[in-house]
Amino acid sequence: MVQIGVDIGGSHISSAQILWNGKSAEIIEFHEADIDTFRSTSEIIADWSAVIRESIGSQKDIRIGIAMPGPFDYSNGISLIKDQGKMKSLFGLSVKKLLSESLKIDSKHIVFSNDAEAFLAGESLAGAGRDFQSSIGLTLGTGFGSAIKIREVVKDGKLWTAPFRDGIAEDYLGTAWFKTYALQKFGLKLAGVKDLLAVDLDREIADCVFSQFGETLGEFLSFYVIRLQCEGVVLGGKITRAADRFLPYTKAYLDKIDYPVEIKISELEEKASLIGACLPFISKN
């Protein structure tokens, strides 16, 4: 049996064969592509299938694990995404059935999981979270993903909607916050967080933005690491590429609450979700 891990986002897909030997994971036949998901159902499914077929190659006995963003009916494989524009044409449809027909594979051999959940599962199995019995995984990017691991169970944390300050967590822990804060505080228009790393940008401005974000992340985490008695936190997503600029402030904030928790940056990056998406098959084996 060959396990195919797939990670689908609003504008991107990656796919690979996952070889698990009981201790570590090897990723082969990795393929990826940018996908315009503002198009029709048939066009999206055709493009996704093309990338997945590249990873499958000539293999016959396959199982496919797919990490998807929410909202999504993961057990039945039905998309509930309708308000983001992306994937709108798939709303209410069985993505499982559509891919099953396109790839000519039994639908029972296709499983779905939340992308943040798959990320933490992959890191816990073969990456930065392997030594934690209990942990929180956060993906920091355009959106804010979260997952919680208690012993062998990993679940979608759904913390993006958690009440925080005068809004919800995602208001403060995603790319949108950086854009809003930089504009309001300094009149600086950012296309993304990477703009703060530009060599011609005033270092003091960048440090101010990153320090605010780091402290905010620490404040948010302080409640959950104590409540869930977490041993560690695993951070992923594109914003973590600037972790050296904000993480010291996060750790300093957590030091104040005198609760020892280790924070690690993803070792597997985008590969984590590919591995984690295959966890149902790995567990059975």
Side-chain angles (χ1 to χ4, degrees), residues 176-188 208-209 212:
W177 176 86
F178 281 89
K179 292 181 178 180
T180 301
Y181 185 80
L183 184 61
Q184 292 179 345
K185 183 79 173 178
F186 301 106
L188 178 65
C208 177
V209 177
Q212 286 295 315

Side-chain angles (χ1 to χ4, degrees), residues 11-283:
S11 58
H12 190 81
I13 180 174
S14 57
S15 176
Q17 289 185 25
I18 308 300
L19 309 180
W20 173 250
N21 64 12
K23 292 184 179 180
S24 61
E26 181 182 358
I27 294 176
I28 63 172
E29 295 299 334
F30 177 82
H31 298 276
E32 59 182 339
D34 292 327
I35 307 294
D36 179 2
T37 59
F38 285 91
R39 297 174 301 156
S40 68
T41 298
S42 60
E43 289 173 313
I44 297 170
I45 295 298
D47 283 355
W48 284 348
S49 298
V51 176
I52 296 171
R53 283 195 197 95
E54 288 188 275
S55 294
I56 293 173
S58 61
Q59 302 295 334
K60 301 298 182 184
D61 185 16
I62 60 173
R63 304 291 185 272
I64 301 176
I66 302 176
M68 288 279 290
F72 198 90
D73 180 346
Y74 295 101
S75 58
N76 295 306
I78 297 173
S79 176
L80 303 176
I81 300 170
K82 64 176 181 177
D83 296 325
Q84 293 95 321
K86 297 176 181 179
M87 303 190 205
K88 187 175 182 178
S89 65
L90 296 173
F91 175 72
L93 300 180
S94 173
V95 178
K96 174 181 280 197
K97 180 180 178 182
L98 292 168
L99 286 174
S100 170
E101 293 171 348
S102 178
L103 295 168
K104 295 178 172 53
I105 176 176
D106 193 318
S107 61
K108 70 181 181 183
H109 294 156
I110 301 176
V111 299
F112 292 85
S113 58
N114 173 266
D115 52 358
E117 183 180 321
F119 162 75
L120 182 57
E123 290 290 345
S124 298
L125 190 68
R130 63 171 66 88
D131 296 327
F132 300 143
Q133 289 296 308
S134 59
S135 60
I136 293 175
L138 301 180
T139 53
L140 308 173
T142 303
F144 173 62
S146 63
I148 297 168
K149 176 180 182 288
I150 304 296
R151 297 188 182 277
E152 302 304 317
V153 178
V154 180
K155 293 293 184 183
D156 177 11
K158 299 180 181 178
L159 298 180
W160 70 277
T161 60
F164 186 61
R165 294 182 178 172
D166 59 353
I168 60 174
E170 192 168 72
D171 295 337
Y172 295 90
L173 297 170
T175 302
W177 176 86
F178 281 89
K179 292 181 178 180
T180 301
Y181 185 80
L183 184 61
Q184 292 179 345
K185 183 79 173 178
F186 301 106
L188 178 65
K189 292 184 179 180
L190 300 177
V193 177
K194 65 180 181 180
D195 288 355
L196 291 171
L197 303 175
V199 294
D200 58 345
L201 181 70
D202 188 324
R203 176 81 182 202
E204 289 187 8
I205 291 177
D207 285 345
C208 177
V209 177
F210 280 126
S211 66
Q212 286 295 315
F213 180 79
E215 290 177 7
T216 299
L217 179 60
E219 179 186 345
F220 177 79
L221 281 172
S222 64
F223 175 76
Y224 291 99
V225 295
I226 294 175
R227 179 183 177 187
L228 299 170
Q229 294 293 292
C230 288
E231 297 173 0
V233 175
V234 182
L235 300 179
K238 291 185 178 180
I239 291 177
T240 58
R241 294 174 183 173
D244 61 322
R245 302 290 294 276
F246 68 80
L247 201 53
Y249 299 98
T250 303
K251 292 178 178 178
Y253 189 98
L254 291 173
D255 284 344
K256 297 176 185 178
I257 66 173
D258 197 28
Y259 182 87
V261 61
E262 190 172 1
I263 300 178
K264 292 187 176 182
I265 301 301
S266 167
E267 293 178 8
L268 302 170
E269 296 184 335
E270 71 273 11
K271 306 295 196 308
S273 294
L274 299 178
I275 297 170
C278 290
L279 187 60
F281 306 125
I282 293 172
S283 298

